[in-house]
Amino acid sequence: MTDFPSSKYERGKIIAKTGIKIGTNYAQRYIKKKVNKKESSGTDSEFHSENAKEVFKEFTKLRGTALKIAQGMSMDQGFLPEEFADVMSQAQYSVPPINKALVRSILKKELGAYPEQLFQSFESEAFAAASIGQVHKAVLKDGRKVAIKIQYPNVRETIDSDLALAKTLAKRLVKKGSDIDPYFEEIRSTLLDETDYRREGRQIDLFHSRFSNLDISIPEWVEEYSTERVLCMTYLEGRHLGEFLKEDPTPEQRDHFGQLLWDFFHEQILDNDYIHADTHPGNFLFTYDDKLGVIDFGCVKKFPEVFFRNYLNLLPTHLENDDKSIRDLYEKLGVIKPGSEPGDQEQVYFDFAKNYGMTFAEPYRNDVFDFGDPDFDKTIRHFTKDAPLSNEPRGNEHFIYTTRVHVGLYNLLIKLGARINTTRSKEILSEILDVEFQPA
C-alpha cells in the first residue's frame, strides 16, 4: 500500500521522461526566441516557473533522493533561473503528504498500535512534508506536545537505485578515467544516515546538550515513541523564513535572527564535533520568544580533521591575499592538480576559486557586515554563473556538504538582509587556527 514507484525501472522512467520534456521545452524556447526577439523577460520568468513546477511535480512522485536534489536546487545561488529556486523551496517542507490510511499503517507497524491508542491526540493531517518524511502534531498521554516524523515507505530501498542511475548519467558527462566514486559514496552514506531516525534522535540529544544554553531552541528526543522510521520529538512553536518575512519584520528583528544563525554555525566549529549540514529554510524556525529553532538533524556531518582544518584555513589565507598559501591549500583540497604553477592550465581554476573565496571571506574583513547589500548578492551570483565548465570532478568529496553549509548560510542571511557582527566568529576562528585577524 504505497503511492511511490520503488523499482529502478519505474523511477528511471519518470526521471528520463521529465528530463526529455524539460529539455525539449527549453530547446523549443531557444528556437522561438531566435525567431521572435521581442519576447519579454516577464514571459521568460513565467516559462522558467512552469518548467520548475513540472520538475517538482515529477520529483514529488519519487520523493527520497529526487526531492533531495530539489532541495539543493532551492539553495541555488546562480546556476539555475531564480524561478527554479523559488519553486523548489517547496521541497523543504511543503510536499503533498501521503494518505491517512498509510500513516496509520506505518505507525501500527513501527510502534505496535494505532495513533488513537498511542497518543492523547494525533492530527492525521501532516503540517509539514519533505523529501523522506512528513510530520504530524500529537499530544502524548503525559500532556507533552510533540512532532511525529514518519518516513515514507521504501525511501531507504530506493537510494541505491537512484544513485546508480545518477552515476550512470554522470559517467557519460565526466572525463574518461575520472574517479566519481568518492562523491557518490559520500552522498550515499549521508542519505542512509538520514533515513535512520534513531541516529537522528541521538543527534537531537547531542545538539540539545550543546546549544540549549544559548538563544537556540532544540527539541527533545522522545525515544520511547521512536524507531528507525518514526521519530518523536517535542514540538517547537515558530515560523519559517518565508512566513517571517511576510510579517514585514523590522531591521532589528532581521539582524537579531541573522546573528543567531551566524553565531550558531560558528559555535559548532568551536566544538570540533558534528555540524548541522542541511542549511535550508525548512530546517529553521524563528520562534515567538526570539530564539532560533533548529528542527531537523538528519544531515549532520563530522568532517575529517585534516580536511576541515585545511578548509577553514582558506579564510585567513584569502584575507591575507597569500597566493602561495592559497595555491597550496587548493592542491591539498583537490581544487587544482598537484604541482601546478602560476600561468599553467590550472590557472583558470585557481583564479575562479580564489575570487569566489574572496567573496565568501568578505564578511570577516570588518566587525559588521551587511548581507542586505545587493552588490554582495550580485557578486556571489556572478561567480556562480561564471564557474569554469569542466568534465572532470574538482575538489574533495567533503566539499559537497561544507559548501551546502556555507552557501546555505549566506543564502539565508541574504534573504533576511541582516547586518551581522563578526567579532565573536573571528575570535572562534582565531582560537582554532591560531591566527590573528587584522583590523580593516
Side-chain angles (χ1 to χ4, degrees):
M1 185 179 182
T2 173
D3 301 328
F4 322 121
S6 57
S7 75
K8 184 175 181 178
Y9 171 74
E10 289 175 306
R11 297 175 72 80
K13 187 168 68 172
I14 290 174
I15 293 171
K17 184 188 78 172
T18 306
I20 291 169
K21 183 174 182 179
I22 300 304
T24 301
N25 288 348
Y26 273 91
Q28 291 174 342
R29 177 71 169 175
Y30 176 77
I31 293 169
K32 187 177 179 182
K33 288 192 73 175
K34 281 292 184 182
V35 174
N36 182 8
K37 296 182 178 179
K38 294 182 179 179
E39 295 267 8
S40 70
S41 59
T43 308
D44 276 347
S45 179
E46 185 177 327
F47 175 75
H48 293 317
S49 288
E50 289 305 312
N51 279 279
K53 288 173 185 175
E54 181 66 27
V55 173
F56 180 74
K57 182 182 76 173
E58 296 302 321
F59 278 18
T60 295
K61 295 176 185 176
L62 299 170
R63 289 182 165 83
T65 312
L67 274 183
K68 282 291 178 186
I69 294 170
Q71 284 185 354
M73 290 180 182
S74 76
M75 293 190 292
D76 173 70
Q77 276 287 344
F79 284 116
L80 296 168
E82 287 183 27
E83 292 79 8
F84 266 80
D86 292 339
V87 171
M88 293 305 171
S89 65
Q90 297 174 75
Q92 295 159 0
Y93 47 86
S94 300
V95 175
I98 58 177
N99 66 68
K100 299 174 185 179
L102 185 53
V103 169
R104 287 173 54 78
S105 175
I106 293 171
L107 286 174
K108 176 69 164 65
K109 180 182 177 181
E110 294 294 322
L111 297 178
Y114 290 112
E116 60 269 21
Q117 299 167 307
L118 293 167
F119 309 108
Q120 186 181 123
S121 66
F122 178 85
E123 294 188 9
S124 57
E125 293 286 347
F127 74 89
S131 55
I132 65 173
Q134 65 187 45
V135 192
H136 297 254
K137 292 179 184 177
V139 178
L140 299 181
K141 291 185 176 179
D142 64 10
R144 282 181 292 170
K145 292 182 180 179
V146 292
I148 309 290
K149 184 156 74 168
I150 299 170
Q151 192 173 125
Y152 303 132
N154 303 322
V155 166
R156 190 177 183 89
E157 290 73 17
T158 61
I159 289 172
D160 281 334
S161 62
D162 283 0
L163 289 179
L165 177 62
K167 194 173 180 180
T168 300
L169 295 173
K171 282 184 174 179
R172 296 178 187 172
L173 301 173
V174 300
K175 183 178 179 181
K176 191 174 181 179
S178 296
D179 185 10
I180 60 175
D181 288 347
Y183 302 94
F184 277 89
E185 183 52 41
E186 176 70 4
I187 294 169
R188 178 182 181 274
S189 64
T190 303
L191 287 174
L192 287 173
D193 283 345
E194 289 190 61
T195 61
D196 183 352
Y197 284 175
R198 285 196 177 278
R199 178 184 182 275
E200 183 173 351
R202 293 190 292 272
Q203 293 297 338
I204 291 172
D205 276 352
L206 174 66
F207 275 77
H208 189 272
S209 64
R210 286 167 66 189
F211 297 106
S212 57
N213 60 325
L214 304 175
D215 281 338
I216 307 291
S217 287
I218 309 286
E220 296 177 37
W221 180 33
V222 185
E223 186 175 1
E224 58 267 36
Y225 289 94
S226 300
T227 70
E228 195 174 273
R229 291 179 174 83
V230 171
L231 177 67
C232 180
M233 60 191 134
T234 54
Y235 180 77
L236 293 186
E237 296 278 357
R239 61 279 209 213
H240 293 292
L241 175 63
E243 297 163 323
F244 173 71
L245 292 178
K246 286 178 183 176
E247 296 173 4
D248 193 22
T250 65
E252 290 76 19
Q253 289 174 308
R254 292 168 179 263
D255 294 349
H256 171 75
F257 283 112
Q259 191 70 52
L260 290 179
L261 280 162
W262 181 264
D263 291 342
F264 172 59
F265 282 96
H266 287 85
E267 292 292 340
Q268 291 179 88
I269 295 171
L270 180 62
D271 287 344
N272 193 29
D273 206 332
Y274 284 95
I275 289 176
H276 190 288
D278 204 1
T279 320
H280 66 70
N283 287 339
F284 299 95
L285 291 173
F286 301 148
T287 73
Y288 296 102
D289 59 352
D290 293 330
K291 292 186 177 181
L292 177 69
V294 190
I295 55 173
D296 192 301
F297 296 89
C299 182
V300 294
K301 302 292 291 183
K302 194 166 188 175
F303 298 106
E305 187 175 344
V306 173
F307 162 80
F308 199 54
R309 189 169 187 86
N310 285 334
Y311 180 81
L312 294 178
N313 268 313
L314 287 172
L315 175 62
T317 55
H318 278 75
L319 289 174
E320 293 165 9
N321 202 15
D322 183 348
D323 272 18
K324 185 177 183 305
S325 296
I326 294 171
R327 186 175 290 273
D328 179 57
L329 285 172
Y330 283 170
E331 289 189 6
K332 290 176 179 176
L333 292 166
V335 176
I336 57 176
K337 293 178 180 178
S340 66
E341 297 289 341
D344 65 12
Q345 60 183 0
E346 292 296 292
Q347 189 68 36
V348 64
Y349 298 104
F350 176 83
D351 289 343
F352 168 76
K354 179 186 173 183
N355 287 326
Y356 203 20
M358 288 291 192
T359 303
F360 273 84
E362 197 65 29
Y364 299 88
R365 292 191 184 279
N366 296 290
D367 289 342
V368 176
F369 183 78
D370 184 6
F371 279 92
D373 181 355
D375 287 339
F376 183 70
D377 186 20
K378 287 178 185 176
T379 303
I380 287 183
R381 291 181 180 277
H382 164 75
F383 282 120
T384 309
K385 287 182 181 292
D386 203 37
L389 296 176
S390 173
N391 64 345
E392 56 183 322
R394 294 274 174 162
N396 187 289
E397 66 269 20
H398 298 295
F399 270 120
I400 294 170
Y401 291 98
T402 55
T403 301
R404 191 171 178 174
V405 172
H406 216 156
V407 172
L409 174 61
Y410 278 37
N411 193 24
L412 286 169
L413 294 172
I414 287 169
K415 287 181 177 179
L416 271 171
R419 284 170 56 88
I420 302 301
N421 188 301
T422 64
T423 305
R424 171 61 181 159
S425 57
K426 287 186 284 190
E427 290 173 355
I428 289 171
L429 288 162
S430 294
E431 182 178 334
I432 295 171
L433 301 175
D434 193 24
V435 297
E436 289 294 328
F437 287 85
Q438 300 300 318

